Amino acid sequence: MKLLVVEDEPTLSADLREYLEEQGHVCEVALKYDDAHQKIHVYQYDCICIDITLPGGSGLDLIDELKEMHSEAGIIIISAKDSLDDRIEGLDLGADDYLTKPFYLSELNARINALFRRREFKGEREFSHGNITVYPGKKEVEVEGERLDLTGKEYDLLNYFITNAGRVLTKEAIAEHVWGDHYDMVDSFDFIYVHIRNLRKKIKQVNGEDPIKTIYGMGYKFTSS
């Protein structure tokens, strides 16, 4: 995908660009509001990662302008943890996701890929992975044609795994994506183990193969035979 990273901290911008290009993306960087403003009017991007506080202007204004332009680019806010109000305003303006600093580079890449896949499978269209079929419009899941009775969090968890199939997801990445900022208020990640255990159990109950593999010392990977 073609990406634009709007981030004023030079070292972070360089690290993001290097990592995302290593993942196979085409990545450009804008360090200032004016640079980003010019780029979004000249080039087409699949996804734009925007910091809120920029020299010369606000990332929120860029988001607002992208929506006025009817840009089809996905938008991910990357912001400091204490800027909750700005993140909420950004989401209200039309941003698709947000990620709080500091973050793992692999987590940002996973969010970018998940956003791209969500856009591919929007509406009532179904998509499958192995013997699991997901209906995003209805938030329903079937295994071999038999419906799974999932809680909201179990559905979100399964969808996050499927959209990142084949990638190792850390406990921290899973917790922040599915539960948001509130995850850092808990003492342990036991709640993740419980939800994953329940999800595995429900899949096995309908004779499905357990697609969630534990990668010891790292996290989990969603696979299929």
Side-chain angles (χ1 to χ4, degrees), residues 148-180:
L148 287 185
D149 184 16
L150 301 180
T151 66
K153 289 301 182 187
E154 288 167 355
Y155 173 85
D156 291 341
L157 182 59
L158 178 61
N159 195 50
Y160 185 51
F161 272 125
I162 290 177
T163 54
N164 289 282
R167 298 179 179 272
V168 176
L169 302 176
T170 65
K171 298 185 296 294
E172 292 83 0
I174 295 169
E176 183 176 353
H177 184 81
V178 179
W179 282 269

Side-chain angles (χ1 to χ4, degrees), residues 127-144:
F127 64 98
S128 300
H129 188 90
N131 61 356
I132 299 175
T133 302
V134 180
Y135 301 89
K138 298 182 290 185
K139 288 195 172 183
E140 293 181 357
V141 179
E142 292 181 355
V143 176
E144 299 289 354

Side-chain angles (χ1 to χ4, degrees), residues 2-20:
K2 185 173 182 179
L3 312 177
L4 175 63
V5 173
V6 185
E7 165 59 54
D8 66 311
E9 206 286 303
T11 301
L12 178 58
S13 292
D15 289 344
L16 289 171
R17 181 172 190 170
E18 180 180 4
Y19 177 81
L20 292 171

Side-chain angles (χ1 to χ4, degrees), residues 81-216:
K81 206 170 189 63
D82 59 356
S83 58
L84 176 61
D85 291 341
D86 285 341
R87 294 203 306 275
I88 292 174
E89 184 177 353
L91 292 171
D92 285 341
L93 287 172
D96 298 281
D97 202 351
Y98 71 87
L99 193 59
T100 55
K101 300 178 184 178
F103 52 81
Y104 292 102
L105 300 183
S106 58
E107 168 67 355
L108 176 59
N109 188 54
R111 298 287 185 99
I112 291 170
N113 287 319
L115 173 59
F116 179 70
R117 288 168 179 152
R118 285 199 302 270
R119 285 170 173 261
E120 278 194 320
F121 302 126
K122 62 185 177 180
E124 295 295 327
R125 181 178 175 179
E126 67 184 67
F127 64 98
S128 300
H129 188 90
N131 61 356
I132 299 175
T133 302
V134 180
Y135 301 89
K138 298 182 290 185
K139 288 195 172 183
E140 293 181 357
V141 179
E142 292 181 355
V143 176
E144 299 289 354
E146 187 168 348
R147 182 177 172 181
L148 287 185
D149 184 16
L150 301 180
T151 66
K153 289 301 182 187
E154 288 167 355
Y155 173 85
D156 291 341
L157 182 59
L158 178 61
N159 195 50
Y160 185 51
F161 272 125
I162 290 177
T163 54
N164 289 282
R167 298 179 179 272
V168 176
L169 302 176
T170 65
K171 298 185 296 294
E172 292 83 0
I174 295 169
E176 183 176 353
H177 184 81
V178 179
W179 282 269
D181 286 345
H182 299 294
Y183 87 93
D184 60 3
M185 300 173 62
V186 300
D187 296 328
S188 71
F189 289 104
D190 288 346
F191 63 100
I192 293 180
Y193 306 143
V194 171
H195 281 282
I196 290 178
R197 182 191 65 201
N198 291 341
L199 181 57
R200 282 170 160 164
K201 181 179 179 181
K202 290 181 179 181
I203 292 174
K204 290 178 180 179
Q205 284 176 340
V206 292
N207 298 318
E209 180 183 350
D210 180 10
I212 304 170
K213 310 304 180 186
T214 301
I215 309 299
Y216 291 99

Side-chain angles (χ1 to χ4, degrees), residues 19-65:
Y19 177 81
L20 292 171
E21 288 182 343
E22 287 175 353
Q23 303 307 305
H25 303 298
V26 175
C27 186
E28 297 179 3
V29 168
L31 298 174
K32 298 183 295 183
Y33 175 89
D34 290 343
D35 293 341
H37 184 270
Q38 180 180 11
K39 285 180 179 293
I40 66 174
H41 281 275
V42 175
Y43 305 107
Q44 297 291 326
Y45 298 97
D46 295 303
C47 183
I48 303 175
C49 304
I50 302 179
D51 192 5
I52 298 298
T53 305
L54 299 167
S58 169
L60 295 174
D61 292 334
L62 290 175
I63 296 172
D64 192 30
E65 188 160 357

